[in-house]
Amino acid sequence: MGSTSLFEDEPDGTQEAIMQATYRALCEHGYAGLTIQRIGDEFPKSKSLLYHHYDGKDALLLEFLSFMLERFEATIPDREHDDARDHLEAILDHALPTDLDSERAEFRAAMVELRAQAATDEAYREHFSRNDRFFRRRLAAVVRRGIEEGVFRDVDPERAAAMMLSAIHGAMQEEATTDTERTAAVRNELRAYVESRLVAPDDESEAIE
Amino acid sequence: MGSTSLFEDEPDGTQEAIMQATYRALCEHGYAGLTIQRIGDEFPKSKSLLYHHYDGKDALLLEFLSFMLERFEATIPDREHDDARDHLEAILDHALPTDLDSERAEFRAAMVELRAQAATDEAYREHFSRNDRFFRRRLAAVVRRGIEEGVFRDVDPERAAAMMLSAIHGAMQEEATTDTERTAAVRNELRAYVESRLVAPDDESEAIE
């Protein structure tokens, strides 16, 4: 999940400069082509700093993933929305944008590669378990709020969140690994799902079973 | 997509024996740990046959993916179902099984790794584009049939298929890359989506707008 404001500002310190270099190298080379050397090429300060701090590219990437997850968390549309339905739709639009510039598209593709490492690497697996738990809970909380407010039907919030998150992940994966762009179709059909499955009929909005 | 009857029989010939060895090695080592040598360890015949035929593990894996796609195509629940809704639900159950033995779970995890190669490798990308096109068309055909028969509402079959396929892919990806099992939740919520979004109300089943 997540197209976000990434590195638009100058980095604040060394750690942020390293993260920014990692982001750029990842966009340019993908996970498969990434090396500490190539991250160093994007790093304005002493490269020996990089070599001393990290025991290989995966150690650096895991720190990068934690750093990015915190940023993602901060950019998810929050409760400024009056209505749980508007809020949920804002999250879906945020998670499945269709106006990605090439850098962000490359970054999302690199994230699909990083996630695949979790199939065989326990540290990546822990990260993505935490990542998914966070986003699933966020989605479930919005659904739960909608139910409490009578805007949504009395569905299982966890189950609805699981399906929406899977559809988001699948669309991101397909976008990164095929020539067929289906992100807009998936987002629009998720909106139709919200309408038909979640939104409570008007005349029942006061007392939903 | 696909948990299928994979290699339950003895292989028919050399090609099938190679594919079977690749399947076993992939389940055991994943993509990251796979080498031609390790495929050779699972291969009962002359290993030099393997080395002569394939220019590295990716050439072999691409042939393996084509081979498996044909098998998957043959095992998707077909039109034996009376009703488009039953047919669609059978496909969803088939794509998101919850009773996977460890070998099949390992295989599905390896497929997530293979798909991630498509983020940077054109040959993998072509394969998965073809793969997704096939499954999306299959799903859309069932939705279209349901609309024609008045069982489903007049939705956009391509868009519905895109969302269902993304949810399936996302659930497979999460299953392979996290500790949290959400496959059953996703499948059940997809069924609820079919019910609320696709299935036509009874009283309108003759003349859906």
Side-chain angles (χ1 to χ4, degrees):
Chain A
M1 207 153 149
S3 103
T4 55
S5 62
L6 295 168
F7 290 103
E8 279 146 16
D9 306 322
E10 280 301 298
D12 281 342
T14 302
Q15 195 228 16
E16 194 159 322
I18 294 176
M19 297 297 107
Q20 188 163 341
T22 306
Y23 173 78
R24 284 209 212 95
L26 205 49
C27 291
E28 192 170 345
H29 305 291
Y31 174 80
L34 199 71
T35 57
I36 290 269
Q37 173 67 48
R38 283 180 163 171
I39 296 168
D41 293 344
E42 306 286 340
F43 187 57
K45 304 186 187 181
S46 152
K47 289 175 204 349
S48 67
L49 213 67
L50 268 183
Y51 291 107
H52 281 122
H53 264 67
Y54 300 98
D55 190 20
K57 78 170 178 177
D58 289 308
L60 174 45
L61 284 169
L62 285 160
E63 184 176 315
F64 174 76
L65 284 170
S66 287
F67 177 87
M68 293 307 285
L69 179 55
E70 269 179 48
R71 295 208 155 199
F72 287 152
E73 288 176 7
T75 61
I76 299 178
D78 210 340
R79 298 200 45 156
E80 74 269 27
H81 296 86
D82 291 339
D83 178 277
R85 179 186 181 169
D86 290 346
H87 189 184
L88 186 55
E89 290 180 344
I91 294 177
L92 297 175
D93 290 350
H94 177 77
L96 294 174
T98 41
D99 55 349
L100 285 179
D101 58 34
S102 67
E103 185 188 276
R104 299 234 178 136
E106 282 160 7
F107 177 68
R108 284 167 72 101
M111 291 299 283
V112 168
E113 287 184 274
L114 287 179
R115 183 183 275 270
Q117 306 313 307
T120 52
D121 183 307
E122 190 51 44
Y124 280 103
R125 195 176 185 85
E126 270 172 33
H127 170 81
F128 285 103
S129 297
R130 187 158 62 89
N131 182 85
D132 288 8
R133 207 157 40 236
F134 173 81
F135 287 113
R136 210 182 289 111
R137 280 185 187 156
R138 264 297 178 86
L139 286 165
V142 180
V143 175
R144 197 171 293 111
R145 182 187 145 209
I147 296 169
E148 283 161 10
E149 291 173 355
V151 177
F152 289 157
R153 291 173 210 269
D154 189 22
V155 301
D156 178 341
E158 306 294 336
R159 220 176 73 174
M163 200 282 275
M164 289 187 281
L165 186 60
S166 287
I168 290 166
H169 281 153
M172 283 180 60
Q173 187 197 40
E174 291 159 7
E175 187 182 32
T177 60
T178 68
D179 298 322
T180 351
E181 168 63 84
R182 285 291 181 279
T183 308
V186 173
R187 193 193 52 224
N188 291 333
E189 193 64 17
L190 277 176
R191 278 173 164 269
Y193 157 83
V194 170
E195 168 77 36
S196 61
R197 163 82 175 143
L198 301 187
V199 173
D202 268 351
D203 52 339
E204 297 172 38
S205 64
E206 290 306 303
I208 294 302
E209 213 284 294
Chain B
M1 204 152 145
S3 103
T4 55
S5 62
L6 294 169
F7 290 102
E8 279 146 15
D9 307 321
E10 281 301 298
D12 281 343
T14 302
Q15 195 228 13
E16 194 159 322
I18 293 176
M19 297 297 106
Q20 188 163 341
T22 306
Y23 174 79
R24 284 208 212 95
L26 204 49
C27 292
E28 192 171 345
H29 305 291
Y31 175 79
L34 199 70
T35 57
I36 290 268
Q37 174 67 47
R38 282 180 162 169
I39 297 169
D41 293 344
E42 305 286 341
F43 187 55
K45 303 186 190 184
S46 151
K47 291 174 203 350
S48 66
L49 213 65
L50 269 183
Y51 291 106
H52 281 121
H53 264 69
Y54 300 97
D55 190 19
K57 78 170 178 178
D58 288 308
L60 174 45
L61 283 169
L62 284 160
E63 185 176 315
F64 174 76
L65 284 171
S66 287
F67 178 88
M68 294 307 285
L69 179 55
E70 270 180 46
R71 296 207 155 200
F72 287 151
E73 289 176 6
T75 60
I76 300 177
D78 211 339
R79 299 200 43 155
E80 74 269 26
H81 297 86
D82 290 339
D83 177 278
R85 179 186 181 170
D86 290 346
H87 189 183
L88 186 55
E89 289 181 345
I91 294 177
L92 297 176
D93 290 350
H94 177 76
L96 295 174
T98 40
D99 55 350
L100 285 179
D101 58 36
S102 66
E103 185 187 276
R104 298 232 178 136
E106 282 161 6
F107 177 68
R108 284 166 71 102
M111 291 298 282
V112 168
E113 287 184 274
L114 287 179
R115 183 182 277 268
Q117 305 312 308
T120 52
D121 183 308
E122 190 52 43
Y124 280 101
R125 193 173 185 86
E126 272 173 32
H127 171 80
F128 284 103
S129 297
R130 188 159 61 90
N131 182 85
D132 288 7
R133 207 157 41 235
F134 173 81
F135 287 112
R136 210 181 288 112
R137 281 185 187 157
R138 265 295 179 87
L139 286 165
V142 180
V143 175
R144 198 170 292 111
R145 185 187 144 209
I147 296 168
E148 283 161 10
E149 291 173 355
V151 177
F152 290 156
R153 290 174 212 269
D154 190 21
V155 302
D156 178 340
E158 306 294 336
R159 220 176 74 173
M163 200 282 274
M164 289 187 280
L165 187 60
S166 287
I168 290 166
H169 281 152
M172 284 180 59
Q173 188 197 38
E174 291 159 7
E175 187 183 31
T177 60
T178 68
D179 298 323
T180 350
E181 169 64 82
R182 284 291 181 278
T183 308
V186 174
R187 194 194 50 224
N188 291 334
E189 193 64 16
L190 277 176
R191 279 173 164 270
Y193 158 82
V194 170
E195 169 77 35
S196 61
R197 163 82 175 143
L198 301 187
V199 173
D202 267 351
D203 53 338
E204 298 171 37
S205 65
E206 292 305 301
I208 295 303
E209 213 284 294

